Amino acid sequence: MIEIRDPSCTRCALHKTAQFVCLIDKGIKPSEVMILGEAPGKREDDTGRPFVGRSGQYLRRILDEHHVEGFIGNAVNCRPPDNRSPTSTEITACRYWLDKQLSVVKPKFVLLLGNVALESALQMRGIAKLRGKPIERDGIHYFPTWHPSYVLRNEWDQATFDTDIAAFARLIKQVKTPSVTNPVLVEDEATFRRMLTQLRGSVSFDIETTGLYPWKGEIVVLGFGTRKHQFIVPMPISDEWMADLDDVIQDCQLITQFGKFDSLWLRVKHGIRWTSSFDVGLAHYLIDENAPHDLEYIAKRFLGAEPWDVPLKVKQGHHGIPALVEYFAKDLHYTRALKFVLDEKLEPCLKKIFKHIMMPCVGLFTEIEFDGVYVNVDKFDEAEEYLRGEVAAALKALKRWQPPDTFKGKRVIKRIPFNWGSTKQVGYLLFTTLKIPIVEKTKKGAASTSESVLKRIDHPLVASLLKLRGAQQQLSFFIEGWKPFLVDGRWLHPSFKLHGTVTGRLSSEHPNLQQVPRDPRIRQLIDAPPGWELIEADLSQIELRVACELARERQMMYAFHHDIDIHWLTLLNELSRTMAMPELIMGTAARLSNRQLNYSESVRVLLERGPDAAIEVNFEWKERRKKAKAINFGYLYGMWWKKFRIYARDNYDVILTDKEAQDSRKAFFSSYPDITPWHTRQQNFARRNGYVLSLSGRKRHLPDALDPYDTPPRAEALRQAINAPVQSFANELNLMSALQLRAEFPRSIVRICGTVHDSILARVKKEHVVEVGKRLLEIMKHPILLDTFGITLSVPIEAELKVGPWSLGVSLEKYIKRQNENQPESRKAMASMPRRLRV
DNA sequence: TACTCTAGCGCG
DNA sequence: AAAGCGCGCTAGAGTA
């Protein structure tokens, strides 16, 4: 420890006004890292202690968070009067003391806070341009960023400051620990055996393949990373080697980068089950859902790695194994190295989600993807034929309006045949040739030909055009689109991305199981093979229930506890507000109660009897309830009345005046009085913290919410602040149930086919449908993992089960009844059922 | 020829 | 930069 300061320094005029002259930390010793600030502030000057002011404390906190420590000094060591910044003269004068500090501390890394530090250390100005970019001079790595006091004044820049400090921490790590790979090519028996002896404990695992779809492609290499080596095993290998490897791997903790992919390939190609213990990509997803999650990005961010990616052809082995060794070794090295960094970085709540939901889902979804979903081939061909007929008919009907040929662009480039699928050509036909007035424009300014626009155009061709689009789309999405993915002509293996969304929901692709139309013609193609039944279990109105829980909304809470249909409640609230539809309401109520009632009594009767009874009396209620559903979701998540007008028009052909739309929005919030305070709470939290939390502790980062000005991005972030926790938790409930279903029944009885946000799709052995169905409903109402997370819900959770081809499924009671009709001897199943199942 | 973007539309 | 949120897939059109 050395003291270098001189209290009688007179190198500049500041010594005349400062209480404390030459305020340098007393104990200086060598340190790899130095942080250079501007000058002492009032608090420092008053106490004689450095970095005790507001910005000093803030700085220490951020540095702590990123595990950066080192000697903290200032560019100027006496407090300038009137809170002004030091002048260039003062900075130059005090450079003497900076040199002294540098000569004692001997830093390798210097963090420069603000323009004054930048000028003092490097004689450069312009922090706005230079911040975030490391500058190396005389063997020292300088890193300029803003001064913390600036950041405190401009709190929307806090996120950037934070990433700057993170980048500085990375810089330190990178220079200190350069990436070292030590690849071993495993081709002979001796090397293979040596590898087996070294595969212990934490081993990173990765493969390279010739494609994305394991049913169409080959594995090129297997790779295993240990602390010292990266073992690279060219494929194929003998069954004996594979068996011995399998034995050893079962005792290792595998670290992977999106290891579901690798596990699936191994399962499909070799029938072996390797499960990841720690997935780097998924950990990173929980830490920062907004960022990319590829290994190269994560490794750059947390280990300062330089890019090492190679062209796809190289990875696929087209240039021989030696060409991919270096690349593949880096993958294995960084995957393993990142485990230790990210494990540290996961906060307790996120770690819980990681451990109890995300990692178990890797295993679950490997299996889901492996098992696939069964497609009814006969119906598939039938649907194809029907749709082709529809397309042909629509084209024929459109023929009379079709121009002979049209030209591409303004200048005649070439003749191309008229294409009803081209929005551009259709737009030209409608709005130029036929002179129909333009209704709406697209984002880029072209005349829109969307469904909503076409519906508002009074011309005989629109009906056929809409028909064409519908049929053409179903044909190309779900018939042609599925064909390349069909395995053995009847199995689809959709893939699920566990990191597919920013809210924690999954996404599905190749093909996307989550966007199969509800239209039975398509949906029923998804079924179960002979001997099995398809079941679909969904969480009823789950997002509204979760929103109700979070908002502690009393009206909704009452409705859910008394089994009142929430969309129905909203509808009746909406109608009774203006005493609207008296004939419909009083008429239906009269039919239901067999006597004449006044308006408000009628509303009460309808509320009690529920929508199904009302729909039986008058089918009009069905559409009305659907509309109320839209009201619930729209307004709940911050929809504005203008959008609601459009929504009502496009989906329900309901034309509302501005006033009516405004009133309906007001009415929604007054019939659910706790929604607005919840919105406010969420928005304030997001504005203060830049993120929001779900019930399970998942974070949704919303940096735009920190902006002090009411900008569109901020408005968007504030709406997301309301929606994200709801969506996120609803999905987690579904995943918890799926995990439990798998844990409770063997694969010989139940195979899960996929999840669709709030529902589970599975096939069950015929003899076990009732047993499994009943249990699944129980699970969904209270998955055991809720207790693990210590979550107690006030709102009841309900679930519904359907048995049979997708979209054609029937309730368990109906299913049992049907079974008994077909085979009267199986009465036992009926006897085991409760009188009335809650569905 | 291969890639990216957009419009439009399917789902929750 | 404007006011429900979250996705993926296709064809057409534009660009390299």
Side-chain angles (χ1 to χ4, degrees), chain A residues 550-566:
Chain A
L550 296 176
R552 298 190 288 274
E553 212 310 306
R554 24 198 154 142
Q555 294 299 324
M556 285 189 184
M557 192 68 85
Y558 181 88
F560 284 132
H561 274 284
H562 293 82
D563 225 8
I564 296 169
D565 182 296
I566 190 74

Side-chain angles (χ1 to χ4, degrees), chain A residues 7-49:
Chain A
S8 52
C9 172
T10 55
R11 291 178 173 271
C12 72
L14 289 180
H15 72 277
K16 294 181 194 158
T17 47
Q19 287 187 49
F20 256 89
V21 174
C22 205
L23 205 157
I24 297 175
D25 210 346
K26 274 194 216 134
I28 303 185
K29 56 180 179 183
S31 168
E32 238 171 19
V33 179
M34 178 165 168
I35 293 106
L36 192 64
E38 187 176 300
K42 181 166 190 321
R43 185 91 186 266
E44 282 87 7
D45 196 40
D46 285 348
T47 58
R49 286 161 49 221

